[in-house]
Amino acid sequence: MDVCFDCTQCGRCCHDLRLTLSVAEAQAWAGRGHRVDLLAEAWPWADEAGADDPALQWRAATTSSASVGDVPFRINLRLVAHHDGPCPHLLPDMRCGNYQDRPRICRIYPLESRPFEAMVPARRKCPPEAWEPGLPVIERDGVAVNAEAAMILAAHRAAQVADVASKARIAAVLGFADAALAGEGLAVCEVTPAALLEAIEASEALADVPDQNWTIVTNRAPTYAMLSDLDCPVRLAPAGQGYLASFEDQLAA
Ligand code: SF4
Ligand code: SF4
C-alpha cells in the first residue's frame, strides 16, 4: 500500500509535542537551554518472552531488565524534548531555526518511528491536503521510500537500542525509579536542562548500571490493588505532574 504525502509547511508538528531523543540529541537540546524530560514505563516480563516474536525482541532490545518487588519487568526509558505550544526553535514563518541540527525524529516526521507499527495519517498533525492522492509516495507497504529518510529512521531506531544502558545510568544518577505500567501511562522525571547535563556527565563516569528499586506509579485503583497483591512496590498518584495518564483518575476502588 502506498502513502502519498507532501509537507505543507503548516508547522503543526512543531507545536505541543514530546520528541523522542537519543542521549546525544538530548545533550544538545539541553545544552541549548531547552527542557528534556525522562519518561518511564514498565512491561511485566517472563524470561522466555520474545524468543520468536520480532516485536517483542525489539521491546527487549530497547528496555532494561528490572525486578519490581520479586516480579520481573522490562523498563523503557525515553528522553523527550517537551514543549507546550511552539518548539523553542520554531521561527515566526514556521521554518525551523535549528534546521541543520534538528533531531532525527523531526527529520523523519510523519513516518512512524517505531518498528512493527503502521503509520496512521489520521494520528499525524499534518492537514488533509498533505495526504492527497497523486502527491509523492512517502511509504510503500510500511517502508519509507526515500533512501535518506530510511537511513535516518534506521539511525533513530539504532540509537534507541544503543542508549539503553546510558539512559538507565542517567535515571540512576537522577534517582528516578518510578515507572508507569505500560499501556496505562508514563512516569515523568522533570529536570532542568542544567541538571540533565550534569546527570549525563556523571552517568558517563559509571562503569555499571546501578541497581534501582523501581516503583510502579498508577492512577487506577484496580492496578494498585493487583500489584499490591503481588507485593510489587506501587504508588497511587493522580494524573498530572510526574504522571502522564492514558486513563481518567480512578483513585478509589
Ligand atoms: S527542532 Fe525544528 S523541526 Fe523540530 S520541532 Fe523544533 S522547530 Fe520543529
Ligand atoms: S504537520 Fe505535517 S504538513 Fe505540517 S509542517 Fe509538519 S510535516 Fe509538514
Side-chain angles (χ1 to χ4, degrees), residues 77-208:
L77 289 164
R78 285 170 55 197
L79 286 160
V80 294
H82 175 199
H83 46 90
D84 292 324
C87 171
H89 295 296
L90 191 63
L91 300 174
D93 63 0
M94 296 300 131
R95 284 182 303 121
C96 175
N98 185 35
Y99 192 76
Q100 292 305 326
D101 295 324
R102 69 199 191 287
R104 291 187 195 99
I105 195 81
C106 298
R107 296 167 191 260
I108 58 179
Y109 196 87
L111 292 169
E112 175 56 57
S113 62
R114 296 165 297 181
F116 315 110
E117 300 272 343
M119 175 173 63
V120 181
R123 289 196 202 139
R124 295 295 185 253
K125 296 201 166 197
C126 315
E129 56 270 28
W131 306 99
E132 295 285 346
L135 291 174
V137 175
I138 184 176
E139 189 184 275
R140 176 161 292 150
D141 297 330
V143 178
V145 166
N146 179 282
E148 191 186 347
M151 236 167 56
I152 297 169
L153 187 55
H156 174 78
R157 290 172 179 171
Q160 300 306 303
V161 175
D163 284 349
V164 167
S166 301
K167 287 185 285 189
R169 281 194 285 264
I170 293 166
V173 169
L174 290 169
F176 177 57
D178 286 346
L181 196 61
E184 285 199 347
L186 291 157
V188 186
C189 176
E190 292 182 10
V191 284
T192 62
L196 182 73
L197 291 172
E198 274 176 33
I200 292 175
E201 200 178 318
S203 72
E204 286 166 353
L206 296 178
D208 298 310

Side-chain angles (χ1 to χ4, degrees), residues 57-64 75-77 157 160-161 164:
Q57 285 168 4
W58 165 257
R59 188 171 299 159
T62 50
T63 55
S64 46
I75 307 287
N76 179 34
L77 289 164
R157 290 172 179 171
Q160 300 306 303
V161 175
V164 167

